[in-house]
Amino acid sequence: MSFSEDVTALRDEAERCLRALAGKRARLRDDQWTAIHALVVERRRALVVQRTGWGKSAVYFVATRLLRRRGAGPTVIVSPLLALMRNQIEAADRAGIHARTINSANTDEWEPIFAEVEAGAVDVLLVSPERLNNPDFRDLVLPKLAAGAGLVVVDEAHCISDWGHDFRPDYRRIRTLLADLPPGIPVLATTATANARVTQDVAEQLAADLHGEAGDALVLRGPLERDSLRLAVVRLPEAEQRIAWLGEQLDRLPGSGIVYTLTVAAAHEIAGYLRDRGYEVAAYTGRTEPAERLQAERDLLDNKLKALVATSALGMGFDKPDLGFIVHVGAPQSPVAYYQQIGRAGRGVDRAEVILLPGTEDRDIWAYFAGLGFPPEPVVRATLDVLQAAGRPLSTGALETRVDLSRARLEMMLKVLDVDGAVRRVKGGWTATGREWSYDRERYERVAAERTREQRAMLDYLATKGCREEFLRRCLDDPSAKPCGRCDNCTGRHWPTDVSDTGTAQARARLRRPGVEVQPRRMWPTGVKDDLGVSGRIPAEHLAEEGRALGRLTDIGWGNRLRELFAGPDTEIPKDMLDAVVKVLAAWDWTTRPTGIVTIASRTRPQLVASLGRSLSDLGRLPHLGDLVPQSDPAPRRHNSAHRLRSIWHTLTLPAPVAEAVRQNPGPILLIDDRIETGWTMTVATHHLRQAGAPAVLPLTLAITT
């Protein structure tokens, strides 16, 4: 449908809508009007790539108002994060647009929301991308929404492309959604962080019809300059110096802001340290409860906090125009991802400080995430064979017992295969479609190479002597990139790198504070009952107590020392680590003190484990009762619980003399290993010890991986 009304009158109406949304002084930018006209009058598909704060949401809210006034159905927005959804709903409400959301956190509201949609009372419906692959929603709800939509919006559209810095498999289904739309329904895709390759990829997906033929998508791409941002890099050699620097400089940073970290553990450590120094801060990660996240967002918006210490869970779409600073403790692995995150700052203020504190551990963390890519072809083929042979739907849990992949990586692979047509998600799990499927090895290898190139570019950003903003904008293929005249390199004004001895000591004490709780496995994995004879809940009489670890490998305190230890040759326990383990034991609030020690003999680090057990036996005056001994060479690394448990069950044994010593021991056993990855070695070892008569088992390890 197109409108014959006067274009000038329509733009005046659009301007009035914008002022209701953004204030009396707001005026449409030329590209905003171009996009709105394309959507409302020409019913086209458009991709808008513009900097954060440019007003992309204004395009779809104004277009929604105009289309709704002309009898169109509601706008359906695919939006990736709850924080983004909340901001969008609040913005829509200011403009008199009634918006509702469907996501995993409000399932009890779905039915009344659908009733409102059918009654025509909803102007905007926000949908989380994972809903698109829910069988009931995909088959029963989505077709009705798509058929009756007045506008479809894909927010943070770079997530569609596996070249994008934040590719998400759930977004791949959007291409099918767009291809199935009835003719005449306009589509808008928006993002602030897409280089030329991602822009082209998204535009091609946006324009393709049901048969994959290329159409015509309007692409509006603008300059990415952010004239309020003051970019800087501060390089300090040790983690405790970086944290101390943050504690001593935070008062100098304007207003309130965000401190980004690369890991959940770092977010909590840094938040705790800053609170110790008297700052009002809160940790915000993907593991934070939804209610706590919402409260933290509100407290930051209301300037009740100096900072949120956050992982990338607080990223796209968080809208606080007066955000005065962003500090990264640890470098993201892509300049594009970095530019997306710092784009949160300085949208409504003249100056915002953007500081990066890189660490030597950053590359280790990048390497970990790099290992989560699309699996190799034999694993994919094996999964398809299992589904084909089953002849019925298999749940992800059931598949996990038969395919050697972690749950998260298996789910990612299945979503990609679903969009490719090789599998289908149905009630009860997944089925194979039997369609021909080819492994696009070349593309996956190119994506992996692109990730490596991005990491090199991030290192180049840290080292550059040129303009920092220009560097980032060139990474985004911004043709108008030029020296900003504001960053530390352009001005020659660099942040000081001196840190007080007192501050460093306080940070070191916090980061090196030993001791991490280790929760025992409480359930056997599914699918092992037939061969191992165990299933369901682990009986209390075979269960370990809560254990302790010196630290996490992802920590920025002990994690650095532990990574160095495990990267080097086998050696006896270093004195500083032994002293720290003794502190862990001293602080352990166990019900009954252990009366004996058992070690898990290691084929890879025998000196380390043996020396730790021997030292603690001597210091604690506890008898060393012996070793649990692996009876074969180490099995290949297993990625999920069922495979890992099978590889350990029959190889880790309790020798008869050790079993007799355990039976004669009157109290709890301190069970020692060098590191815990999945927890199944400790679980099987505990099972053997409890069967031998140990009244309790207390796991102790140097490191845990998460």
Side-chain angles (χ1 to χ4, degrees), residues 56 65 93 153 211 220 268-269 286 292 380 440 460 514 526 539 549 552 562 631 690 699:
K56 296 181 290 295
R65 174 62 70 86
D93 185 64
V153 177
H211 305 290
L220 297 170
H268 286 286
E269 286 288 357
E292 292 181 35
V380 184
D440 195 349
D460 290 341
T526 56
R552 301 179 184 89
L562 289 165
Q631 294 299 302
R690 296 298 303 272

Side-chain angles (χ1 to χ4, degrees), residues 661-676:
V662 169
R663 279 190 288 272
Q664 299 299 322
N665 182 69
I669 299 295
L670 187 65
L671 177 61
I672 297 174
D673 201 359
D674 57 346
R675 62 194 287 181
I676 292 177

